[in-house]
Amino acid sequence: MVETATSVWGMLTTPWFWSSLWSGLQLTIIIALSSIALSFVFGIVVGVARFSKILVLSQIATVYIEVLRNIPLMLVILACFLVFQLKDMAAAITGLTVFTTAVVAEIVRGGLNSISKGQWEAARSQGMTYIQILRYIVLPQAVVKMIPPMVSQFVTAIKDSSFAMYIGVFELVRRSDVLKSLFTNVNQILAIYAVVAMIYFVVNFILSSYARYLQKKMSVGRGAIGS
């Protein structure tokens, strides 16, 4: 049993220890990937609305972005859980999505602003509509420039998924707390935190490495963008 492990090695060689962390990691990945996928889609929509010349859309998007970026994520998650009465996992995913969408939208707006006006004018001279220019000319170029800050935000989202522990989700950090309560040896407790930190590092390093590969691949034929 886990309770009989009195050394760090004994704890680390206990199958239950790793199965518990694995179950927590699965929930962390579900929360993070769900919110990342949703916020990517919604972030593009809100970012384009913020960038648009339609005053009403731009103002609504601006208010959304400014409000969400200036309040704590924890309050957003708690509002989804306590005010809107969503279940714990749904509240975590929804809260993280709503918050991350605001940040992604600003990244999208910045990417769109980085494209020179000359390209817009050249496309209009060819008879292209606003939507066509965005889809075929501007967004493909802007997306490449958005990859580094976008990935940085997604790495943050993976770490921020740990806030779900406060509404009862047994994600990775909450699982580590449960494990910590089973041991009194300080070295064992430090080892638990070290293992959890390493797991987060590996997951985020894989994401960052893939993003760098993707950026280089998408940059082919567009000139050197980023590093």
Side-chain angles (χ1 to χ4, degrees):
M1 295 294 292
V2 174
E3 294 83 349
T4 64
T6 58
S7 66
V8 172
W9 179 249
M11 178 185 71
L12 294 178
T13 54
T14 303
W16 188 89
F17 173 83
W18 294 103
S19 64
S20 180
L21 289 181
W22 170 242
S23 64
L25 178 60
Q26 286 178 306
L27 291 184
T28 291
I29 291 175
I30 290 172
I31 294 169
L33 291 186
S34 298
S35 62
I36 286 172
L38 292 171
S39 62
F40 179 74
V41 175
F42 295 144
I44 290 178
V45 174
V46 176
V48 169
R50 172 70 178 85
F51 177 78
S52 74
K53 304 302 180 183
I54 302 175
L55 187 59
V56 175
L57 285 180
S58 180
Q59 288 180 338
I60 292 174
T62 299
V63 170
Y64 174 85
I65 292 169
E66 293 303 321
V67 169
L68 267 298
R69 289 181 67 203
N70 289 285
I71 61 176
L73 169 59
M74 190 67 242
L75 290 182
V76 180
I77 294 176
L78 286 175
C80 292
F81 184 64
L82 299 175
V83 179
F84 296 101
Q85 298 291 302
L86 297 178
K87 293 184 178 180
D88 51 8
M89 281 289 289
I93 293 173
T94 302
L96 191 54
T97 297
V98 169
F99 184 86
T100 306
T101 293
V103 182
V104 171
E106 272 297 273
I107 295 172
V108 171
R109 186 178 70 90
L112 294 175
N113 280 330
S114 70
I115 306 303
S116 66
K117 293 182 179 179
Q119 296 199 43
W120 285 89
E121 294 169 357
R124 288 194 188 97
S125 70
Q126 299 300 313
M128 298 180 71
T129 65
Y130 180 81
I131 299 299
Q132 289 174 326
I133 297 173
L134 274 177
R135 179 179 178 184
Y136 298 110
I137 306 295
V138 176
L139 276 177
Q141 297 178 73
V143 164
V144 180
K145 297 183 178 183
M146 287 187 274
I147 288 177
M150 196 82 76
V151 171
S152 177
Q153 180 55 38
F154 290 159
V155 167
T156 299
I158 292 173
K159 293 183 290 185
D160 285 349
S161 65
S162 61
F163 283 121
M165 68 180 290
Y166 295 111
I167 57 173
V169 178
F170 279 83
E171 45 69 64
L172 185 57
V173 176
R174 182 70 181 271
R175 284 289 180 180
S176 71
D177 274 351
V178 173
L179 288 172
K180 182 187 69 175
S181 68
L182 300 176
F183 304 99
T184 57
N185 187 312
V186 174
N187 290 330
Q188 288 177 317
I189 294 173
L190 291 176
I192 292 172
Y193 287 134
V195 169
V196 171
M198 183 59 64
I199 292 173
Y200 274 109
F201 170 78
V202 170
V203 171
N204 288 326
F205 181 77
I206 292 173
L207 175 61
S208 299
S209 298
Y210 177 72
R212 286 193 292 270
Y213 162 77
L214 185 62
Q215 185 184 24
K216 290 180 180 178
K217 185 176 180 180
M218 294 178 68
S219 296
V220 174
R222 301 182 187 275
I225 301 173
S227 57

